Amino acid sequence: MLITDDFLPVPVPESLDATYLVPIAGMPKVSPKTAVAGLAGRLAEPVHGLAKQMLDSPLMTVDTRPISEFPELPPDLLTAFGATEEQLARLAAATHLVVVQAEYRPGWPPAHEWAARAVAAAVAETVGGDVVDVFGLQFLDPAAALRSLPDEQGRIRLVDWVLVPYSSDADGLWFTTKGLRRFGLLELQAQGVPDHLTRAWGAVMTGAARRLLREWTEGLAGEEVPAFVQLPVLATVTGHDIAVAYGNPEQHGATAPVLLALELDPATDPDADSFLTLRPPPGHPGPPGRYFAAACATLFNGIQPDVRYARPGDAMSKAIATARAGLGDVRARFLAGQLPAETQLVIKYGLPGDDGPEYVWAGVTSWESPERIVGASASDAATDPTVRIGAPVVVEASDVVDWAVLDTTGVIEGGWTQAVLDAGEPPTAD
């Protein structure tokens, strides 16, 4: 249903719980308290102290039970959410499961999730095993689980906690989030997304999740848990929301915001999930997919990945040569702090693929060595699943084909290959 006022009342659950599993062969040789104590100095506060406190309270239980007492974890779904053959083999060889469960009230911090994941990771580390996040049906190695927990400033990457799966139907792609219910919020969905926007719209959904989660937790900040939290019917999503969700707030900040209408779609089946549906704002003409494509173009202006082949002597080859000739100068200005204020230096480089290179952009964060550039990916790559928005990358300068300086209006310097693409030169190949 669409609420016509400015805010949408979303129900708040009375309590939240988290469950993590650690598959092991035999019985653990170290107690959970000893394992968590071993994280001293490695896990930021308040999470380390929170994990120890919850271990000593009735809010958390840690049990070791024979694996035969549990229903089989579905290997096909685990694989769909990233499980490796080695992880599945360790699960098949396990005789017991360490079960870590925690419960807490809705609000921030999500103590049940942080503490349960920390304890499970500590136990898994001592046995050389894996963590299974039951909510997300995901395997996590202990190091990844610990990295997903808050840093000294209390910051997390939302992509470590919220997935954005999608499937195809007659109207296009159906996107949902999987993870917002960890925090008590309903999952998001969007329907009718054009097929070519899989990566871009997944990032927009993640940014929208970040923005709405912030509104949600602000509504839960009081001493008493309310029955409802009022969320805005029109949600604003910015490039900064996306960047923060991916743990890289200095990227994607200089883009115009987009508006998305929020509707409550309650489930008719008591066993099914209700959703918060993202739609174009009222009055937008045409199908939703047209608006979603325009939103992606706005939020990712100037840094879209592309796959192109360049012929020696054509316009693209000349553009690449021009960009490479200017690398030394732009590096010197970057190191000297001489680029214009409130701008971002980005580079474009090639990733190998079966059908030719995929060119992606990255924001430059460090360039100490002339031969090697350290940055953060500005897009998700199709050819390399490790290259995601906000993920750290190290790029050889010899692989760079373009660079640009961006401000709030877009490209103010560089971007020669993008200019060729915008001019409509067809892709060519040897």
Side-chain angles (χ1 to χ4, degrees):
M1 58 181 174
L2 175 64
I3 306 301
T4 56
D5 295 328
D6 292 337
F7 292 94
L8 183 71
V10 178
V12 179
E14 293 183 1
S15 65
L16 301 172
D17 59 79
T19 302
Y20 290 85
L21 308 176
V22 181
I24 59 174
M27 297 291 289
K29 298 179 180 178
V30 175
S31 71
K33 289 184 179 181
T34 301
V36 171
L39 297 178
R42 298 172 51 205
L43 192 60
E45 296 297 347
V47 179
H48 189 225
L50 184 66
K52 292 191 296 183
Q53 291 173 17
M54 292 195 74
L55 267 173
D56 289 329
S57 80
L59 295 174
M60 177 180 286
T61 60
V62 182
D63 296 317
T64 302
R65 295 160 59 183
I67 198 169
S68 59
E69 295 184 7
F70 295 85
E72 181 185 11
L73 291 169
D76 54 341
L77 289 179
L78 290 169
T79 300
F81 286 111
T84 65
E85 292 184 4
E86 292 78 9
Q87 290 168 331
L88 292 174
R90 286 193 290 270
L91 175 62
T95 61
H96 291 75
L97 289 176
V98 179
V99 184
V100 182
Q101 294 181 300
E103 183 180 3
Y104 202 64
R105 56 161 278 176
W108 201 264
H112 59 298
E113 283 286 353
W114 290 358
R117 185 174 286 199
V119 172
V123 172
E125 194 173 63
T126 65
V127 299
D130 307 295
V131 176
V132 179
D133 171 14
V134 173
F135 182 93
L137 275 179
Q138 274 191 302
F139 272 98
L140 302 171
D141 68 72
L146 292 173
R147 283 196 303 270
S148 71
L149 294 167
D151 62 14
E152 292 79 4
Q153 285 76 46
R155 298 172 301 189
I156 61 169
R157 293 184 352 137
L158 192 60
V159 291
D160 293 328
W161 299 87
V162 177
L163 305 175
V164 186
Y166 63 88
S167 59
S168 181
D169 59 27
D171 298 322
L173 298 177
W174 174 37
F175 279 78
T176 61
T177 60
K178 185 175 178 61
L180 288 177
R181 283 196 295 112
R182 300 179 190 271
F183 312 104
L185 182 58
L186 297 178
E187 303 291 357
L188 304 181
Q189 70 172 356
Q191 295 172 295
V193 179
D195 291 351
H196 69 282
L197 295 179
T198 53
R199 288 174 287 155
W201 188 254
V204 174
M205 288 279 287
T206 306
R210 183 259 173 183
R211 172 59 66 99
L212 291 170
L213 183 58
R214 188 178 68 176
E215 301 268 2
W216 176 255
T217 54
E218 287 177 354
L220 297 171
E223 293 185 6
E224 298 294 329
V225 177
F228 295 88
V229 166
Q230 302 282 348
L231 294 181
V233 168
L234 286 179
T236 302
V237 182
T238 67
H240 181 70
D241 290 317
I242 296 170
V244 171
Y246 281 86
N248 202 43
E250 67 273 17
Q251 301 296 323
H252 275 281
T255 57
V258 299
L259 286 176
L260 292 168
L262 196 66
E263 297 182 16
L264 177 60
D265 282 338
T268 55
D269 183 342
D271 295 326
D273 292 329
S274 298
F275 284 98
L276 293 171
T277 300
L278 298 177
R279 302 191 190 279
H284 174 74
R290 185 181 302 168
Y291 184 82
F292 296 155
C296 290
T298 297
L299 291 170
F300 298 100
N301 178 38
I303 49 175
Q304 288 282 39
D306 62 272
V307 180
R308 291 292 189 274
Y309 305 82
R311 258 198 326 235
D314 64 13
M316 183 62 75
S317 182
K318 293 176 182 178
I320 293 173
T322 301
R324 286 176 170 167
L327 278 176
D329 175 69
V330 76
R331 173 178 178 265
R333 287 188 288 145
F334 172 80
L335 293 176
Q338 294 176 350
L339 295 177
E342 305 298 324
T343 62
Q344 171 68 41
L345 175 62
V346 296
I347 56 168
K348 188 181 191 179
Y349 66 103
L351 294 171
D354 293 339
D355 299 320
E358 179 187 18
Y359 295 108
V360 293
W361 291 93
V364 177
T365 57
S366 176
W367 200 347
E368 297 302 322
S369 168
E371 297 82 16
R372 189 169 291 106
I373 306 167
V374 179
S377 180
S379 60
D380 291 345
T383 53
D384 188 341
T386 66
V387 178
R388 303 180 67 194
I389 293 177
V393 294
V394 179
V395 180
E396 298 297 323
S398 58
D399 293 333
V400 173
V401 298
D402 202 355
W403 57 267
V405 178
L406 305 178
D407 71 359
T408 56
T409 64
V411 176
I412 62 172
E413 182 182 357
W416 293 274
T417 64
Q418 194 65 45
V420 173
L421 297 174
D422 293 343
E425 180 190 14
T428 58
D430 289 332

